[in-house]
Structure formats: C-alpha cells, structure tokens
Amino acid sequence: KKYSGKNWKEISVNEPIELLQKSEEIQNIRKRLQFWKDLKPYPMLPGTENIFDSVLYQGVKSFQERNGLHPDGVLGKATIEALNKKPKDLIKQVSVNMERLRWLPDTTVQEFILVNIANYALDYINKKDTLLHSNAIVGKTYRKTPVFNGTMSYLVFSPTWTVPPTILENDVIPAVKKNVNYLQSKNMRILDFSGNEIPPSSINWSNISGANFKYMVRQDPGPSNALGRVKFMFPNKHNVYIHDTPSRSLFSKEDRALSSGCIRIERPIDLAKLLLSDQEKWTDDLIKKALAEDQERSVSLSRKIPVIILYLTFWTDSRKKEQVRKDIYNRDDELYKLMQKPLNKL
C-alpha cells in the first residue's frame, strides 16, 4: 500500500534510535525511506523487522544528507521531524522555490558568489565549476539575513569592527553596566565621531542607553575580533557582509542561524586566496602576513564579483538528487498563500 496524504502515519520516538537498537517505529521508518527512494527494498530475516540494521542505517544517512542534516545515521529529533514531512507539504515547497528561482538575475555570469541562507552555505562558482564550498552561519530568526543581490569589490584583512547600534544597545551597553572592564576584555575602545578615544571611566554608565550614547564602540584587530581575520565587502543598504569568525566551534552545529544578520563562513582564507589569485603580489605568505597585522588593510579586487544571497528550501543538485532544507525563517507558507491569490488581489 502506497503512502499518500491520507495514510501518512506520524512517526513518534521518545529517544534517539541508534544502529542495532529495536523500536516499533522501525518498520514505518523503513517504508518512509523507501518512499523517498533513499532506501531500496531488501530481504530481512524473520523477527528482525523492528531492528535498526546496517542497511537501514545507510538509508537514514542518505536521507539526512539530502535534508541538510548531520549524517550520523542516528534517528534523532531533527531527522524524525524531516521524515514526518508529508508529500503534499513537499509539493508546496517545490512550487514556492520554483517561484523564488524566477527572482534570480536573468544575466548569465561566469563568476559569482552564492549564499543560500536556508542551506547555511556559501559557494564560489567560476565558469560553472564550484571552486569553493563553505559552511556558513546566518542571521538569527529575529535578526534575519536579507535576500538581495550585491557586487563584491574589495576585502579587508585584519578588520576592525564598529559595533552596530542594535548590538550596542542590546548587548554591549548592558554588558558594560554589569562589568566596567568588559570593553577592555573584548579589545574594544570608545571613540567620538572625530576619532578621539574616550576613557570608559569618564562616562556615567548608569544613565546610558542606546538612545543617548553619543559615541561609537570599535573592536581592534586581533584573534578575538568579531569579524575574525578577514571580511569581504559588497556595499549594500542592509550593511550585510561576509566575514571570518573566532567562534569556529559553531560551524559544527546543525542549526546555524546564529549571527546578527551578516554571513560568517568557515573557509574565509581559502576564499580570499581564490579571489586574489589573479594578483601576483598576493602570495600565500603576504596573505598570511596581512591576516596577522594589528591594523586594517583593504585590498581591491581586480574585478567586481556578483553576490547572490537567496533563500532556497528545495532544489535538485548536479546529481539530480532532491535537496530539502528546513524553512528556518518560516517563509514558505507565507509565500505559498500569496501565490494562491489572484493577481488583482495582491
């Protein structure tokens, strides 16, 4: 009996199921993976139907890879949630993402940078080849990374970080009120808008808020700088850019909607080397030196590179495999509802 929207049984597990463990849900999970073609039918010994065997384990890993989940073969919460997605839900997801693809620029370019927010990933593509794929960290659900197109023109080694007003108000000022040494511990300085340094002790912090703070806070270059050792600039009204991060452990997380809107990437130095590979001056040694300096160094690219930041929760890859991602910003349903309305009602 084939699955349909009517007989799609909800899979429910209390604890993660691992290899060789037994569960009443295993038979349903096996059928589900066969339905999605991550698992082919295979013979089993009598009495082993409810055992998480090694063949099923490979099917689970295939399903996890297609759904952007950590392919550990464990039937945990995120995997079960993805397995419970109904065919009708996936049909909606496909139609929504076909609409999103229509929004992409029509002009074909040889070289570009593509960031898929929902995939937590950046790809550098040149002449139809993906020369670099990097895990990425994107904006939190309440500080979403916007969808837009830009043009990358330069990068900055050993950047300073001027704290944005929102982070200043919500994070930095409250931290200083709790601990007056906070700024020093973070390698941050207070500057007026003429660039003069202001001692933190000269400010009455008890009366300070984001609204009446008349200075800027800047973090100097260094290992703890929030932007890491390099940032990639494509000026835009959102003040969003791509950068390194000192928080390397975050890239191992499955859910990487963790930033304040900008895009942090796992392989920033590799990207810098690729973008500067046509400038003989920028050898690996010079790049290494620039990454370790205590002051900013801006470097213009020899050409302007299109940057496309999009939000795709479904696509097919080069092997024609369906790739499904969690709708982290809950945008699919909203767009689907708009697509159902007559044009004169929009």
Side-chain angles (χ1 to χ4, degrees):
K1 185 179 180 180
K2 289 188 176 180
Y3 279 0
S4 70
K6 293 180 180 178
N7 62 9
W8 196 262
K9 182 185 174 185
E10 188 86 0
I11 298 169
S12 177
V13 300
N14 295 322
E15 297 290 335
I17 307 172
E18 299 189 25
L19 184 64
L20 300 181
Q21 289 184 336
K22 194 172 184 179
S23 170
E24 295 296 323
E25 289 285 11
I26 289 295
Q27 292 188 65
N28 199 26
I29 291 167
R30 188 178 285 115
K31 289 177 183 177
R32 191 70 50 89
L33 291 170
Q34 289 170 353
F35 175 85
W36 291 123
K37 296 184 170 51
D38 289 290
L39 183 67
K40 294 180 179 179
Y42 62 97
M44 286 173 289
L45 294 172
T48 64
E49 294 87 353
N50 291 333
I51 294 176
F52 187 2
D53 58 56
S54 59
V55 180
L56 178 60
Y57 176 80
Q58 293 302 323
V60 170
K61 289 182 68 173
S62 170
F63 178 83
Q64 289 172 327
E65 287 173 352
R66 285 196 314 102
N67 282 267
L69 303 170
H70 183 51
D72 57 5
V74 176
L75 288 160
K77 181 180 177 182
T79 301
I80 296 300
E81 182 182 317
L83 281 167
N84 277 326
K85 186 188 289 284
K86 295 179 180 179
K88 67 177 183 179
D89 296 328
L90 191 64
I91 290 169
K92 287 182 181 180
Q93 201 166 354
V94 171
S95 62
V96 161
N97 286 283
M98 288 177 69
E99 173 64 18
R100 289 186 176 123
L101 288 171
R102 290 200 316 114
W103 305 344
L104 292 178
D106 293 331
T107 305
T108 302
V109 290
Q110 292 291 309
E111 181 184 27
F112 60 97
I113 290 168
L114 181 71
V115 177
N116 184 356
I117 299 166
N119 191 33
Y120 304 124
L122 173 146
D123 290 288
Y124 168 65
I125 298 163
N126 199 348
K127 297 177 182 177
K128 297 183 179 181
D129 286 333
T130 301
L131 300 187
L132 180 136
H133 175 83
S134 176
N135 288 335
I137 292 167
V138 299
K140 301 171 186 176
T141 53
Y142 58 91
R143 292 180 182 174
K144 298 178 179 68
T145 298
V147 170
F148 68 99
N149 301 328
T151 304
M152 186 177 294
S153 54
Y154 69 102
L155 55 84
V156 181
F157 289 119
S158 299
T160 60
W161 180 50
T162 301
V163 182
T166 302
I167 299 176
L168 192 61
E169 180 176 6
N170 297 336
D171 303 327
V172 174
I173 292 174
V176 177
K177 287 184 175 183
K178 291 179 182 177
N179 176 10
V180 73
N181 295 318
Y182 174 83
L183 294 174
Q184 184 179 356
S185 70
K186 295 293 183 181
N187 204 22
M188 291 176 172
R189 294 179 295 130
I190 300 172
L191 304 172
D192 65 20
F193 288 93
S194 297
N196 301 309
E197 188 167 353
I198 308 298
S201 57
S202 68
I203 297 172
N204 182 3
W205 290 99
S206 61
N207 296 324
I208 292 296
S209 67
N212 66 12
F213 190 69
K214 56 184 179 181
Y215 307 108
M216 54 185 169
V217 173
R218 182 167 292 165
Q219 187 177 40
D220 290 331
S224 63
N225 186 283
L227 305 183
R229 288 300 196 174
V230 59
K231 65 179 180 178
F232 304 85
M233 303 302 292
F234 42 106
N236 58 83
K237 66 179 182 181
H238 309 285
N239 199 28
V240 164
Y241 39 88
I242 295 165
H243 64 87
D244 181 19
T245 176
S247 305
R248 311 302 299 172
S249 63
L250 297 179
F251 290 107
S252 63
K253 289 182 175 289
E254 207 163 75
D255 178 357
R256 296 197 295 277
L258 302 167
S259 82
S260 295
C262 284
I263 299 147
R264 309 176 198 169
I265 59 171
E266 189 172 21
R267 300 177 60 190
I269 297 172
D270 292 335
L271 180 60
K273 288 179 178 179
L274 282 167
L275 297 183
L276 295 175
S277 61
D278 64 334
Q279 299 188 43
E280 290 184 11
K281 171 186 174 182
W282 285 101
T283 61
D284 286 359
D285 285 343
L286 185 56
I287 289 174
K288 185 177 180 181
K289 180 182 176 183
L291 290 165
E293 290 177 347
D294 59 4
Q295 61 182 12
E296 286 191 337
R297 185 190 291 204
S298 295
V299 183
S300 295
L301 301 180
S302 63
R303 70 282 185 208
K304 295 184 184 298
I305 302 175
V307 178
I308 302 169
I309 302 177
L310 45 67
Y311 185 89
L312 282 183
T313 59
F314 179 92
W315 70 95
T316 52
D317 63 20
S318 58
R319 298 167 297 169
K320 298 184 178 180
K321 271 195 169 186
E322 298 89 354
Q323 296 291 322
V324 186
R325 296 296 181 268
K326 185 177 179 180
D327 181 16
I328 57 174
Y329 291 167
N330 296 317
R331 289 177 171 171
D332 286 359
D333 282 347
E334 183 181 359
L335 179 54
Y336 186 77
K337 288 174 184 175
L338 287 171
M339 289 169 60
Q340 306 313 301
K341 290 184 178 181
L343 286 175
N344 59 359
K345 295 283 183 69
L346 292 175

